[in-house]
């Protein structure tokens, strides 16, 4: 049975739109847990456009499930992670001008840096996943880099314009999930998943956890966050 980690970044997006104190992603995270979320994910971006350091510190102290910190492989972020000690870190590529994370990590270009970065986190007792495009070569590189697991980027599957492309992307995710599992890597997936496109990926038994944010927070505007999380938990399981 797969787990759901709810990404609460976009609660903070609304708060930051007015530089206000509400809505608070910490409150949203606690309500998501009450509704059955298995974990909470936040992306502390270098430009702090949504989640703030304060959110991370309070979440670490208050949530009962696992905190997954998404972050870039920058020195500043390593210091934050080693100070906060979330249950796990997912290393993601980050560009200042993107609307959201656009693709998986470029492991070839940053191999040595990522190897050292991953081992520094692991030495600090933090489990490390690498956010990657679903390609077999890249999955194999994650194992050589010493990562605990992968998060397979489902953005291309989710955004595929037609059935044919979507099936091709789904096959890539399925094949990489089974390869990663054979290599003893933990298998997570996320990006662009919603109440409809989750159904097919949720059938891939090797995927242990989904990180889903935007669609849940968007629905919660209408239904409230508990209802929105409950519905996604049911689909993921
Ligand atoms: N996984 C990663 C690595 C991400 O960067 C994001 C977006 O912050 C998500 C999952 C969640 O994506 P979405 O908000 O589209 O559900």
């Amino acid at each position: 049975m797969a787990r759901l980690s709810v990404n609460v970044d976009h609660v903070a997006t609304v708060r930051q739109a007015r530089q206000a104190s509400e809505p608070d992603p910490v409150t949203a995270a606690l309500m998501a847990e009450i509704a059955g979320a298995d974990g909470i994910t936040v992306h502390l971006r270098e430009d702090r456009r949504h989640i703030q350091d304060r959110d991370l510190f309070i979440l670490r102290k208050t949530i009962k499930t696992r905190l997954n910190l998404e972050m870039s492989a920058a020195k500043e972020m390593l210091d934050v992670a080693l100070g906060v000690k979330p249950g796990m870190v997912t290393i993601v590529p980050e560009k200042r001008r993107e609307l959201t994370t656009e693709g998986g990590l470029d492991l070839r270009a940053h191999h040595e840096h990522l190897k050292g970065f991953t081992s520094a986190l692991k030495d600090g007792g933090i489990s490390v996943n690498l956010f990657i495009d679903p390609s077999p070569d890249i999955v194999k590189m994650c194992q050589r880099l010493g990562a605990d697991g992968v998060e397979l980027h489902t953005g291309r599957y989710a955004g595929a314009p037609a059935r044919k492309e979507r099936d091709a992307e789904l096959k890539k995710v399925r094949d990489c999930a089974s390869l990663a599992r054979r290599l003893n890597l933990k298998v997570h997936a996320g990006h662009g998943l919603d109440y409809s496109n989750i159904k097919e990926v949720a059938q891939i038994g090797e995927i242990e956890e989904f990180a889903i944010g935007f669609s849940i927070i968007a629905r919660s505007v209408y239904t409230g966050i508990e209802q929105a999380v409950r519905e996604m938990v049911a689909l993921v399981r």
Side-chain angles (χ1 to χ4, degrees), residues 47-63:
D47 63 9
R48 305 297 196 273
R49 71 169 75 150
H50 39 52
I51 292 295
Q52 307 295 305
D53 297 63
R54 162 264 182 213
D55 302 327
L56 187 61
F57 298 137
I58 303 178
L59 282 169
R60 180 71 186 87
K61 291 210 172 83
T62 50
I63 65 166

Side-chain angles (χ1 to χ4, degrees), residues 5 7 9-10 41-43 45 50 68 70-71 90-93 98 100-103 130-132 151-155 158 189-194 210-217:
S5 187
N7 179 320
D9 290 352
H10 295 305
T41 293
V42 289
H43 184 171
R45 295 188 71 104
H50 39 52
N68 171 30
E70 290 175 1
M71 59 180 220
T90 303
I91 305 177
V92 301
E98 66 192 356
T100 179
T101 318
E102 282 166 359
L130 302 176
F131 182 56
I132 56 163
E151 182 178 326
L152 299 172
H153 188 349
T154 50
H191 214 282
L193 296 175
D194 62 25
F210 292 95
I212 307 181
F214 184 79
S215 62
I216 296 175
I217 303 308

Side-chain angles (χ1 to χ4, degrees), residues 94-207:
E94 197 174 298
K95 293 190 214 121
R96 284 291 154 92
R97 298 185 63 192
E98 66 192 356
L99 281 178
T100 179
T101 318
E102 282 166 359
L105 288 163
D106 185 347
L107 299 191
R108 275 187 198 89
H110 306 291
H111 190 273
E112 283 314 301
H113 175 66
L114 285 170
K115 196 166 182 179
F117 202 87
T118 300
S119 103
L121 287 166
K122 287 180 68 169
D123 289 348
I126 302 167
S127 176
V128 182
N129 269 10
L130 302 176
F131 182 56
I132 56 163
D133 292 325
S135 140
D137 288 348
I138 304 179
V139 172
K140 288 179 199 155
M141 286 175 81
C142 289
Q143 191 203 33
R144 291 199 290 274
L145 278 169
D148 295 291
V150 295
E151 182 178 326
L152 299 172
H153 188 349
T154 50
R156 259 175 223 102
Y157 157 75
R163 188 74 247 176
K164 197 165 161 232
E165 288 94 332
R166 193 178 166 112
D167 285 347
E169 293 299 332
L170 184 64
K171 182 172 182 320
K172 287 187 204 163
V173 174
R174 193 183 294 118
D175 291 350
C176 284
S178 94
L179 172 64
R181 184 51 84 79
R182 284 201 302 279
L183 296 175
N184 266 329
L185 292 164
K186 291 185 183 136
V187 189
H188 294 198
H191 214 282
L193 296 175
D194 62 25
Y195 292 84
S196 138
N197 64 28
I198 184 65
K199 290 174 192 148
E200 284 176 297
V201 270
Q203 278 166 23
I204 303 175
E206 288 89 352
I207 301 178

